[in-house]
Amino acid sequence: MTDNELLKSYKSFKNIQNNHKNDSKRIIYYINQIGFILVLFSAIPIIPIILEEAFEISFILSYVIGLIFGIILVKVSNHIGSPWPPRLSLIEKNFIIIIESLECIKEYYENGVEFSRVGAARKLSKVERQLNGPTNDYRFWGALMKEDIDCLSQLKLNFRNRLIPNLIRGDDEDLNQVYLILKKFAKYLLNPTISQLKELNVHISKLNTYPPKESQLKTIFRHTYLQHFYVLIILSSAGYFVFNIGLIIGASIDNAYLAGVGSFGTILTMYFYYFMHNKI
């Protein structure tokens, strides 16, 4: 694959990304989001409780109307806005980042601006953070995909300990090797195969090693279980906020408590569903 073909793919993905950003500014997009929120908060049911306590509207009536009206908004906006501009996949988004990193390195070569190397490193750090393969906890599938998992884990380590540090601290020869490897990685993203992944690891492993200087405290705070704990605190605060809003508008303690717990439980369920879905 030539440089022109890489650039062509980049422009194509960038157009899709820009079209999606422009689409999110349309009124019909906001109507779609309002409909979704209306369905969600009617189902929890925060809206029916608020309407019943503040305006004495029947709980069942507001529950049904909220769901129906929300669904209508979603359906109508989908029909009017159809077809919605396609979204980029995670691989396509990272391809854009890699190409833009290559452009930063080119800028360094042309103008000698040291910050261009730092900018490229920051972009690559985003890619490195997403190089998390499936875990070995899923016995059968983990056994079948063990080779892929090991290669992907090795690639993550190579990115962190070799590729990015060489980009920042390496000499011109190291930087040239980084540039060539990133081009190979961009081609790999367009047509990923296990053989290409192994080849990438071989090339990156030949770079100098620069272990990251990271404090132990920072490592602890990045631990997965602590991240879940932070999310739990935030969601608990959100539930408490909804509870207090209910009291402020005059809802009974029982109904305010129900709304707070309902919102907390619903969002918590959505979070863990998202986490497990992406983990798998």
Side-chain angles (χ1 to χ4, degrees):
M1 182 175 289
T2 64
D3 289 357
N4 287 335
E5 289 174 320
L6 287 177
L7 187 59
K8 184 178 179 181
S9 296
Y10 169 77
K11 290 180 178 178
S12 175
F13 294 154
K14 198 67 179 177
N15 285 335
I16 293 174
Q17 188 180 63
N18 291 334
N19 287 337
H20 188 266
K21 286 181 179 179
N22 292 333
D23 180 75
S24 65
K25 299 176 182 178
R26 291 194 303 161
I27 293 178
I28 195 67
Y29 176 83
Y30 291 112
I31 292 176
N32 183 271
Q33 298 302 300
I34 291 171
F36 172 76
I37 292 173
L38 191 58
V39 170
L40 176 63
F41 283 92
S42 293
I44 289 179
I46 294 178
I47 292 178
I49 291 176
I50 292 176
L51 292 179
E52 182 181 40
E53 294 295 334
F55 304 103
E56 297 183 352
I57 299 176
S58 170
F59 178 90
I60 297 298
L61 180 63
S62 57
Y63 181 85
V64 173
I65 291 178
L67 286 178
I68 293 176
F69 188 59
I71 292 173
I72 290 175
L73 288 180
V74 172
K75 292 291 186 182
V76 170
S77 60
N78 280 337
H79 177 72
I80 296 176
S82 181
W84 295 100
R87 294 187 178 187
L88 292 176
S89 68
L90 191 58
I91 289 179
E92 292 167 343
K93 290 178 181 178
N94 282 290
F95 175 83
I96 288 177
I97 296 175
I98 295 299
I99 297 299
E100 291 178 348
S101 299
L102 289 170
E103 291 301 314
C104 287
I105 297 175
K106 282 184 180 179
E107 184 179 347
Y108 169 76
Y109 280 138
E110 294 171 359
N111 304 319
V113 180
E114 195 68 29
F115 187 74
S116 297
R117 297 176 68 163
V118 177
R122 287 178 177 174
K123 292 179 183 296
L124 291 181
S125 294
K126 296 179 182 178
V127 177
E128 182 268 325
R129 286 194 294 269
Q130 297 180 67
L131 287 174
N132 293 317
T135 66
N136 289 305
D137 298 335
Y138 305 95
R139 300 172 185 172
F140 179 68
W141 293 110
L144 290 179
M145 297 186 295
K146 188 176 188 306
E147 184 179 28
D148 301 57
I149 294 171
D150 291 343
C151 286
L152 193 58
S153 299
Q154 184 61 43
L155 182 65
K156 184 178 182 69
L157 290 174
N158 281 334
F159 252 77
R160 180 187 302 165
N161 298 335
R162 295 180 185 270
L163 191 68
I164 296 176
N166 272 273
L167 174 57
I168 298 175
R169 308 180 215 172
D171 55 26
D172 287 346
E173 184 178 348
D174 294 330
L175 188 60
N176 185 56
Q177 290 300 313
V178 169
Y179 184 84
L180 294 175
I181 289 170
L182 287 177
K183 283 180 64 175
K184 291 179 182 293
F185 187 64
K187 294 175 183 178
Y188 162 75
L189 289 177
L190 291 179
N191 184 28
T193 63
I194 187 63
S195 60
Q196 286 179 296
L197 185 57
K198 290 180 178 179
E199 185 180 344
L200 277 168
N201 277 324
V202 170
H203 287 299
I204 303 176
S205 296
K206 294 178 181 178
L207 295 173
N208 295 323
T209 303
Y210 293 95
K213 297 177 182 178
E214 189 172 58
S215 67
Q216 190 66 28
L217 184 62
K218 190 174 181 180
T219 304
I220 291 173
F221 277 108
R222 282 184 177 178
H223 196 282
T224 303
Y225 292 128
L226 275 178
Q227 291 176 354
H228 290 329
F229 179 69
Y230 302 148
V231 171
L232 186 61
I233 291 176
I234 294 172
L235 296 184
S236 298
S237 300
Y240 183 71
F241 175 76
V242 172
F243 169 74
N244 279 280
I245 289 295
L247 294 179
I248 291 173
I249 65 173
S252 65
I253 293 180
D254 289 342
N255 285 334
Y257 177 78
L258 178 63
V261 172
S263 60
F264 168 79
T266 302
I267 302 175
L268 182 65
T269 302
M270 292 172 63
Y271 167 74
F272 277 108
Y273 173 80
Y274 174 82
F275 172 76
M276 293 304 297
H277 179 72
N278 283 273
K279 186 177 180 181
I280 295 173

